């Protein structure tokens, strides 16, 4: 780990600041090592082989002052993080984790991306009529009113990815859908002491991360639906191009960007009087 920092105090200590840059590499992380079937093992051995880097900045800025019988303070913090997988097990190009209610993997970890990046299809709209259903790419088994996924790449005769649409939707059309790791963590607090009373408030937030709304993907019957989904559902041609019809199963609940939501938030963590 490399860390370079600067601490500052001015105006008789009323104003303080800390600025840090860090670069942390974690080596020998446990990961499965693929072995040939002829070895006869029931599973892949777990070895110390993966490597991950986290780098970013930490900022802290504070002000504290006393005026007569009143003392108040204000503090703000902000941290950035850039997470990157540098290496996996030898012979392992990707790691899939997190099964969805439909049996799809929710995340994919590969070299060059964040750990546990969400992975799935990209929704391109809803099949509005029989003409679209017959002419546009599909997984197979879709009906009018179902999600239409983007045809993002294809393979040549040798099986290599070309990036050229091939007129069908397959597992090769899945893409990275965002990272669950926040790019920014931040917070601020305020406190005041006056005439025997204390008041303090503390806020915390994150930004730049995604969350998977797997709860909305699970079906327990046609009567059980998330309100946001039911109210805007497709009920006929032209009624919706971003929410499908109501179904118990099918491809509408495959892992896709529709279920991956912005995970940013700001919350009041503590309030004291």
């Amino acid at each position: 780990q490399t860390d370079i920092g600067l601490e500052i105090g001015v105006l008789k200590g009323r104003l303080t600041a800390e600025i840090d840059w860090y670069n942390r590499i974690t080596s020998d992380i446990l990961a499965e090592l693929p072995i040939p079937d002829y070895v006869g093992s029931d599973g892949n051995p777990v070895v110390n082989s993966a490597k991950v880097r986290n780098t970013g900045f930490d900022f802290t800025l504070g002000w504290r002052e006393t005026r007569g019988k009143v003392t108040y303070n204000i503090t703000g913090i902000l941290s950035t993080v850039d997470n990157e997988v540098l290496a996996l097990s030898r012979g392992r190009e990707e790691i899939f984790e997190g099964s969805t209610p439909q049996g799809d993997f929710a995340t994919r970890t590969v070299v060059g991306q964040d750990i546990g990046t969400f992975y799935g299809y990209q929704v391109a709209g809803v099949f509005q009529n029989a003409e679209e259903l017959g002419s546009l790419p599909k997984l197979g088994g879709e009906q009018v009113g179902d999600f239409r996924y983007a045809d993002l790449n294809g393979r040549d005769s040798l099986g290599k990815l070309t990036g050229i649409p091939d007129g069908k939707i397959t597992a090769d059309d899945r893409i990275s859908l965002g990272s669950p790791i926040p790019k920014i963590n931040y917070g601020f607090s305020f406190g005041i002491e006056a005439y025997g009373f204390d008041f303090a408030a503390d806020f915390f937030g994150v930004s730049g991360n995604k969350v998977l709304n797997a709860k909305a993907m699970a079906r327990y019957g046609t009567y059980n639906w998330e309100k946001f989904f039911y109210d805007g559902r497709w009920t006929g041609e032209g009624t919706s191009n971003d929410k499908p019809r109501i179904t118990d199963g099918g491809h509408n609940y495959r892992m896709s960007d529709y279920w991956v939501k912005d995970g940013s938030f700001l919350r009041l963590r503590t309030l004291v009087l």
Side-chain angles (χ1 to χ4, degrees):
Q1 174 175 319
T2 301
D3 187 284
I4 300 174
L6 177 65
E7 297 183 7
I8 303 171
V10 296
L11 300 177
K12 297 183 179 181
R14 292 196 298 269
L15 177 64
T16 59
E18 295 181 20
I19 303 172
D20 287 273
W21 173 83
Y22 66 91
N23 184 66
R24 182 183 304 117
I25 296 179
T26 306
S27 302
D28 296 330
I29 300 173
L30 290 170
E32 290 187 355
L33 178 66
I35 58 175
D37 292 338
Y38 59 72
V39 174
S41 174
D42 289 337
N44 296 326
V46 177
V47 299
N48 297 92
S49 58
K51 181 185 294 186
V52 173
R53 177 173 59 204
N54 288 283
T55 184
F57 288 91
D58 292 327
F59 301 94
T60 302
L61 185 65
W63 178 273
R64 182 177 181 85
E65 185 175 13
T66 299
R67 291 189 176 185
K69 296 184 178 181
V70 178
T71 298
Y72 68 95
N73 63 84
I74 302 172
T75 303
I77 61 171
L78 186 146
S79 298
T80 67
V81 60
D82 181 17
N83 178 269
E84 181 183 0
V85 178
L86 300 179
L88 296 175
S89 302
R90 294 185 302 275
R92 191 77 180 259
E93 295 182 355
E94 54 192 2
I95 297 175
F96 293 99
E97 295 288 347
S99 178
T100 69
Q102 284 67 43
D104 290 335
F105 288 112
T107 68
R108 175 176 178 254
T109 299
V110 296
V111 173
Q113 293 188 358
D114 291 11
I115 293 177
T117 297
F118 292 118
Y119 185 69
Y121 298 99
Q122 179 178 306
V123 173
V126 173
F127 287 107
Q128 298 293 328
N129 49 52
E131 181 181 355
E132 289 187 358
L133 188 64
S135 61
L136 295 174
K138 50 185 175 292
L139 281 163
E142 289 94 331
Q143 298 182 29
V144 173
D146 287 344
F147 269 144
R148 176 168 59 87
Y149 297 117
D151 183 12
L152 298 176
N153 55 45
R155 293 180 180 269
D156 60 20
S157 58
L158 298 177
K160 297 181 62 176
L161 289 172
T162 63
I164 302 174
D166 57 4
K168 56 185 177 181
I169 305 299
T170 67
D172 296 332
D173 293 299
R174 293 176 296 175
I175 60 172
S176 297
L177 303 176
S179 171
I181 300 175
K183 297 298 182 186
I184 297 176
N185 295 271
Y186 64 97
F188 53 91
S189 61
F190 171 79
I192 186 169
E193 303 169 15
Y195 304 100
F197 289 93
D198 292 0
F199 174 81
D202 180 44
F203 293 83
F204 175 74
V206 300
S207 179
N209 63 310
K210 299 292 184 179
V211 294
L212 175 62
N213 189 5
K215 174 175 64 73
M217 300 171 71
R219 295 275 60 80
Y220 305 104
T222 52
Y223 51 84
N224 184 268
W225 290 91
E226 297 280 337
K227 187 176 187 301
F228 83 93
F229 191 96
Y230 184 84
D231 287 348
R233 71 194 188 282
W234 186 93
T235 57
E237 184 172 353
T239 55
S240 175
N241 198 42
D242 60 1
K243 292 182 177 65
R245 65 192 177 98
I246 292 295
T247 60
D248 281 335
H251 296 305
N252 290 332
Y253 315 110
R254 302 296 298 269
M255 181 63 191
S256 72
D257 60 343
Y258 181 79
W259 309 106
V260 178
K261 307 298 182 181
D262 181 10
S264 303
F265 68 84
L266 171 64
R267 74 164 179 255
L268 174 62
R269 187 160 51 181
T270 58
L271 187 67
V272 180
L273 178 61

